């Protein structure tokens, strides 16, 4: 049932996200926009309204724009994800942006400016009890100065958001987090001693790079037809209707797969989000249900997990129950003749292979969509942990995410 077949065309072997569409802020498990472009083209979808209910940094909207689809909406629980989308897909005046860049540069280097704001700088540092564990005093003050300068930008919220996004990359880079991890792990003590604290040069260089990326890769898309909206919430609106849903949902709960909330913790904290710590619990599978999922294509695997680890089985079930509930709402919003395209990876828990692709197909078919086909592709470039312990035992590793599935359904 719901078998997949390998389609080499979708491997995009030598193509990396960063080369073809450089992101304005790092984001975990971002989808390769080429997949969306190719599948929209294959299905001959060239207009209409597109929904991404778990939009992350918005790769599906690049696929949409490349396919001349200008009407789209994105939803994500993570505030950082929504800010990235807003900045990427909002038209701003590049000359004004460069003017603002120069003003900021002057303020950063001005002793007079520093003296005029120094008494209020502590107000810009988020209150978080472990702040000293993650930032040196020197870095905190430099970041506070940048935040103060950005807060001073008046009358242009879009330019302010653009600059804020670079600031958020800066707050992560200059925290003591290990940069190549999604989860919050502190760097070693010996690395703290030699920690680079040149916040200002990093920020200014990164801001100029982002302006270049925006100008060279994103600006070309803007025309009068664009009608885009992004919401920092789960998709729940039954009244809205779409021609196509193109998305890459999470492939498991944040605690044991990709920790979107932890990855974005410092960004969301400096954005002023008091619930930054709780985001992973609010994402799919973040809250444990009390019952096992017993009526699905993966129930046998869940029973097998339950035989050896009841808690784990409930955690896994909770994710799939949330995913199914969400698919129910999404299905409702697809117009007759419309498509659902889900790009997802499967995982192994306690040696049980979980066919999330088949689960997605099954959940949509319950809502009267028809499964058209599922393609399999080999992943070569995704920013995610390729190795995971299927038994959760230290040292026991196996490849789990080398394949990805493109599940296509249609409402008729
Ligand atoms: C695989 S990522 C999407 C990546 C995106 N396609 C990109 O290219 O950046 C999955 C996203 O789902 C979001 N998410 C998880 N549970 C959610 C929920 N219940 N409602 C909305 N978004 C959710 C996460 O915050 C994450 O950004």
């Amino acid at each position: 049932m719901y078998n997949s077949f390998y389609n080499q065309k979708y491997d995009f072997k030598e193509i990396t996200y960063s080369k073809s569409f450089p992101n304005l802020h790092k984001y975990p498990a971002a989808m390769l926009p080429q997949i969306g472009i190719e599948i929209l083209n294959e299905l001959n979808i060239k207009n209409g309204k597109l929904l991404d209910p778990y939009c992350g940094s918005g790769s599906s909207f690049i696929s949409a724009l490349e396919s001349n689809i200008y009407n789209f909406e994105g939803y994500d629980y993570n505030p950082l994800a929504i800010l990235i989308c807003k900045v990427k897909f909002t038209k701003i005046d590049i000359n004004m942006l460069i003017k603002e860049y120069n003003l900021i540069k002057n303020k950063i280097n001005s002793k007079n400016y520093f003296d005029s704001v120094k008494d209020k700088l502590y107000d810009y540092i988020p209150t978080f009890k472990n702040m000293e564990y993650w930032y040196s005093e020197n870095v905190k003050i430099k970041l506070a100065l940048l935040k103060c300068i950005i807060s001073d930008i008046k009358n242009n919220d879009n330019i302010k958001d653009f600059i804020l996004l670079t600031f958020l990359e800066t707050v992560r880079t200059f925290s003591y987090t290990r940069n190549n991890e999604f989860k919050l792990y502190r760097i070693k003590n010996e690395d703290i001693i030699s920690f680079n604290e040149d916040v200002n040069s990093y920020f200014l260089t990164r801001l100029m790079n982002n302006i270049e990326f925006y100008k060279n890769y994103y600006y070309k898309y803007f025309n009068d037809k664009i009608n885009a909206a992004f919401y920092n919430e789960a998709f729940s609106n039954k009244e809205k209707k779409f021609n196509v849903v193109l998305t890459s949902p999470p492939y498991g709960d944040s605690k044991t797969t990709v920790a979107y909330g932890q990855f974005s913790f410092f960004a969301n904290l400096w954005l002023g989000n008091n619930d930054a710590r709780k985001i992973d619990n609010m994402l799919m599978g973040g809250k444990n249900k009390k019952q096992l999922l017993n009526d699905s294509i993966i129930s046998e695997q869940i029973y097998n997990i339950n035989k050896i680890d009841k808690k784990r089985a409930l955690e896994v079930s909770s994710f799939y129950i949330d995913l199914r509930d969400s698919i129910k709402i999404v299905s409702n919003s697809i117009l007759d003749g419309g498509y659902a395209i889900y790009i997802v990876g499967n995982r192994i828990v306690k040696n049980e292979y979980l066919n999330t692709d088949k689960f997605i197909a099954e959940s949509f078919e319950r809502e009267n969509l028809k499964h058209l086909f599922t393609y399999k592709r080999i992943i070569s470039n995704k920013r995610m942990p390729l190795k995971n312990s299927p038994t959760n035992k230290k040292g026991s590793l196996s490849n789990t995410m080398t394949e990805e599935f493109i599940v296509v359904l249609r409402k008729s």
Side-chain angles (χ1 to χ4, degrees):
M1 263 283 244
Y2 312 123
N3 285 339
S4 60
F5 56 98
Y6 174 51
N7 189 336
Q8 199 182 7
K9 186 171 76 169
Y10 284 87
D11 284 355
F12 298 105
K13 243 188 182 149
E14 303 305 322
I15 298 175
T16 63
Y17 195 125
S18 53
K19 266 195 208 141
S20 39
F21 300 101
N23 225 336
L24 303 182
H25 190 296
K26 282 192 208 112
Y27 202 74
M31 175 188 113
L32 207 59
Q34 280 84 353
I35 302 172
I37 298 168
E38 193 64 44
I39 194 78
L40 289 172
N41 185 38
E42 189 173 322
L43 297 168
N44 204 20
I45 303 171
K46 296 193 188 317
N47 48 44
K49 189 167 184 186
L50 179 144
L51 165 71
D52 187 340
Y54 334 100
C55 64
S57 63
S59 312
S60 55
F61 307 130
I62 299 175
S63 312
L65 289 168
E66 284 282 332
S67 312
N68 298 325
I69 297 171
Y70 297 105
N71 213 340
F72 48 83
E73 277 188 17
Y75 292 77
D76 202 297
Y77 248 135
N78 185 356
L80 173 65
I82 293 304
L83 185 68
I84 299 174
C85 289
K86 276 189 184 155
V87 169
K88 260 187 352 205
F89 303 108
T90 301
K91 186 177 180 180
I92 50 180
D93 182 327
I94 294 175
N95 288 332
M96 276 177 75
L97 192 54
I98 292 174
K99 212 166 132 194
E100 203 59 58
Y101 168 91
N102 287 322
L103 286 173
I104 291 176
K105 195 172 171 185
N106 288 341
K107 281 186 180 170
I108 287 178
N109 294 319
S110 156
K111 181 159 182 335
N112 283 347
Y113 182 81
F114 182 82
D115 286 343
S116 70
V117 295
K118 68 170 189 265
D119 292 340
K120 59 174 185 177
L121 284 185
Y122 277 93
D123 297 346
Y124 291 94
I125 301 173
T127 37
F128 167 58
K129 70 175 173 9
N130 264 345
M131 212 60 183
E132 283 66 38
Y133 185 75
W134 295 107
Y135 289 100
S136 75
E137 194 57 25
N138 183 26
V139 164
K140 268 194 304 187
I141 292 295
K142 286 181 179 175
L143 291 174
L145 178 69
L146 288 179
K147 180 104 196 270
C148 169
I149 294 172
I150 296 167
S151 308
D152 260 359
I153 300 172
K154 299 276 179 310
N155 307 326
N156 199 327
D157 285 347
N158 295 335
I159 286 192
K160 195 172 184 169
D161 281 349
F162 189 102
I163 295 166
L164 192 59
L165 193 61
T166 306
F167 171 72
L168 297 182
E169 188 86 277
T170 312
V171 300
R172 185 168 197 279
T173 306
F174 286 89
S175 71
Y176 291 144
T177 358
R178 291 190 209 163
N179 245 332
N180 50 357
E181 300 272 1
F182 295 147
K183 292 199 168 154
L184 285 176
Y185 292 121
R186 196 172 183 244
I187 55 173
K188 293 185 195 127
N189 281 344
E190 56 263 39
D191 295 333
I192 289 180
I193 297 162
S194 56
F195 195 75
N196 166 24
E197 298 197 336
D198 198 354
V199 173
N200 296 341
S201 335
Y202 173 90
F203 171 77
L204 287 171
T205 310
R206 184 73 217 203
L207 181 55
M208 193 37 95
N209 285 344
N210 274 351
I211 295 173
E212 286 297 312
F213 291 157
Y214 178 77
K215 193 168 96 183
N216 297 330
Y217 292 88
Y218 298 101
Y219 198 77
K220 63 179 179 211
Y221 293 122
F222 296 116
N223 63 32
D224 296 344
K225 292 187 221 155
I226 289 200
N227 183 7
F230 309 103
Y231 301 93
N232 186 201
E233 58 192 71
F235 178 70
S236 62
N237 192 325
K238 297 191 182 97
E239 308 306 314
K240 292 190 173 180
K241 299 289 172 205
F242 299 87
N243 303 83
V244 56
V245 179
L246 173 64
T247 191
S248 61
Y251 71 100
D253 64 287
S254 285
K255 213 166 19 170
T256 59
T257 59
V258 180
Y260 298 99
Q262 284 195 53
F263 175 87
S264 318
F265 174 67
F266 290 113
N268 287 328
L269 186 72
W270 282 85
L271 256 182
N273 195 299
N274 293 333
D275 287 334
R277 201 86 185 131
K278 297 184 195 148
I279 285 172
D280 280 325
N281 294 339
M282 286 146 70
L283 301 182
M284 232 178 258
K287 287 193 191 77
N288 264 4
K289 312 272 183 291
K290 293 200 168 54
Q291 77 278 28
L292 290 180
L293 185 74
N294 56 13
D295 58 349
S296 87
I297 202 156
I298 53 159
S299 289
E300 193 184 325
Q301 286 69 27
I302 291 179
Y303 288 144
N304 291 341
I305 298 171
N306 193 46
K307 277 187 226 151
I308 39 179
D309 190 336
K310 292 198 163 30
K311 187 168 163 275
R312 201 77 190 87
L314 279 175
E315 280 168 7
V316 170
S317 280
S318 304
F319 170 76
Y320 286 104
I321 291 170
D322 282 352
L323 180 57
R324 189 192 268 176
D325 287 349
S326 170
I327 286 177
K328 208 176 202 164
I329 297 168
V330 168
S331 304
N332 218 340
S333 293
I334 301 177
L335 287 161
D336 280 347
Y339 291 88
I341 306 166
Y342 273 47
I343 296 150
V344 75
N346 293 341
R347 62 191 295 228
I348 299 170
V349 177
K350 301 279 173 190
N351 285 326
E352 293 295 327
Y353 185 86
L354 297 166
N355 276 301
T356 308
D357 65 311
K358 294 189 181 187
F359 178 82
I360 288 171
E362 179 193 61
S363 304
F364 272 113
E365 284 222 329
R366 281 170 176 239
E367 306 303 321
N368 294 325
L369 272 84
K370 190 172 163 17
H371 178 239
L372 298 184
F373 56 85
T374 300
Y375 286 147
K376 185 154 78 178
R377 67 179 285 266
I378 306 293
I379 306 181
S380 45
N381 298 308
K382 204 162 186 166
R383 245 183 83 77
M384 59 197 329
L386 272 182
K387 295 208 160 187
N388 232 343
S389 164
T391 56
N392 280 352
K393 275 189 211 139
K394 228 177 162 181
S396 159
L397 295 175
S398 85
N399 285 326
T400 56
M401 282 295 300
T402 51
E403 294 169 344
E404 207 168 41
F405 298 84
I406 304 160
V407 188
V408 180
L409 297 109
R410 190 168 195 192
K411 198 175 205 174
S412 55

